[in-house]
Amino acid sequence: IFGEHNFRNAIAWKRSDAHSDVAQGASHLGRVYDTVFFYVRSDQTSPNPLYTPLPKSTIEKWYRHVEEKTGRRYNMGDASGPGGARKGNPHFEWNGQLRYWRFSKQRMAELEKQGRLAYSSTGMAYIKRYLDESKGVPIQDWWDDIQMLRGIHQNGDGISYPTQKPEPLLERIIRLSSNPGDLVLDAFAGSGTTCAVAEKLGRRWIGIDCGKLAIYTIQKRMI
């Protein structure tokens, strides 16, 4: 599974803004992120699509138009066909504009009937992309929206374990790489976060650890 040809991503999890491992005279910079290595066993396997909410700045900048009748926010997507005939885009006149389009004339008529077209002052047609239909921002290989655990009660279960990771981090990893009913293995189970999250997400799981503290912690947590 972990052969070099199966490597896909090095994911950076930015866990903090500053770190106490840097003191006066230290020989290294502050370490504020961990790296998650992502492997797949087959080219037929692809990660499940996950999304994070759109930033407020993106909403205000790109979804600045508001539909009068419904109050829905939208942006105006290009309806013209880049690449022209070379890309096989249809060529016809629409609303006085003769050019290549992304859609057929029939499809443009359907979009017009559905109220999905917006027009500029020159009569150029655009596609309405509604904010409430946006899935958000696709997950990339830089994760800076999941905070590290701070204090023994932050995760709500009162567990304190030296290498414990936040449940949202494991939830993202498990959702990204598996489906309900799949088997999740954590060979260094530690505090049992992987097992607990896998259980909540409807996955089967195996947790392995040789430390007594880890075993007792996981047993108590899962019970």
Side-chain angles (χ1 to χ4, degrees):
I1 294 176
F2 298 110
E4 60 179 300
H5 299 296
N6 295 334
F7 175 78
R8 294 297 179 269
N9 285 96
I11 300 168
W13 169 45
K14 182 177 180 293
R15 65 178 190 268
S16 63
D17 295 319
H19 204 270
S20 59
D21 62 355
V22 176
Q24 186 174 2
S27 61
H28 62 85
L29 301 177
R31 301 182 177 99
V32 299
Y33 75 92
D34 286 342
T35 304
V36 180
F37 294 111
F38 178 43
Y39 289 78
V40 296
R41 190 172 182 178
S42 167
D43 288 336
Q44 305 300 316
T45 303
S46 60
N48 294 322
L50 298 180
Y51 303 86
T52 57
L54 291 172
K56 184 178 180 180
S57 58
T58 299
I59 294 174
E60 293 176 349
K61 181 178 180 180
W62 295 106
Y63 292 89
R64 61 182 184 274
H65 305 285
V66 180
E67 204 169 53
E68 292 185 5
K69 294 182 179 180
T70 64
R72 299 172 73 187
R73 297 177 70 101
Y74 66 91
N75 67 25
M76 295 169 64
D78 190 4
S80 64
R86 181 172 56 87
K87 293 292 186 178
N89 293 306
H91 188 258
F92 56 88
E93 180 177 337
W94 185 266
N95 199 43
Q97 299 286 332
L98 181 63
R99 61 179 63 236
Y100 290 95
W101 301 94
R102 290 179 181 269
F103 310 100
S104 67
K105 197 167 186 177
Q106 179 181 356
R107 179 56 180 158
M108 289 287 280
E110 292 174 354
L111 292 170
E112 174 74 23
K113 186 176 181 180
Q114 296 168 3
R116 305 284 304 205
L117 295 182
Y119 297 92
S120 67
S121 58
T122 62
M124 181 64 182
Y126 292 87
I127 302 296
K128 289 183 180 179
R129 294 174 177 169
Y130 292 103
L131 172 61
D132 56 24
E133 293 178 349
S134 173
K135 295 180 179 180
V137 182
I139 291 293
Q140 309 293 316
D141 61 3
W142 173 256
W143 298 355
D144 62 355
D145 59 326
I146 299 176
Q147 296 296 313
M148 64 185 294
L149 293 176
R150 302 178 190 275
I152 63 173
H153 297 295
Q154 178 175 333
N155 61 355
D157 53 24
I159 295 172
S160 178
Y161 195 88
T163 60
Q164 186 177 352
K165 302 299 185 295
E167 288 197 5
L169 177 66
L170 271 301
E171 180 177 342
R172 178 171 296 177
I173 291 172
I174 292 172
R175 287 187 183 277
L176 191 72
S177 57
S178 69
N179 297 306
D182 286 349
L183 180 63
V184 175
L185 167 67
D186 188 343
F188 305 91
S191 65
T193 301
T194 300
C195 304
V197 174
E199 178 74 18
K200 291 177 182 179
L201 296 179
R203 274 69 166 172
R204 298 174 297 135
W205 52 269
I206 298 174
I208 303 172
D209 206 294
C210 61
K212 288 186 177 180
L213 173 60
I215 299 301
Y216 293 152
T217 301
I218 295 171
Q219 287 180 329
K220 180 180 178 181
R221 187 172 189 174
M222 299 311 295
I223 291 175

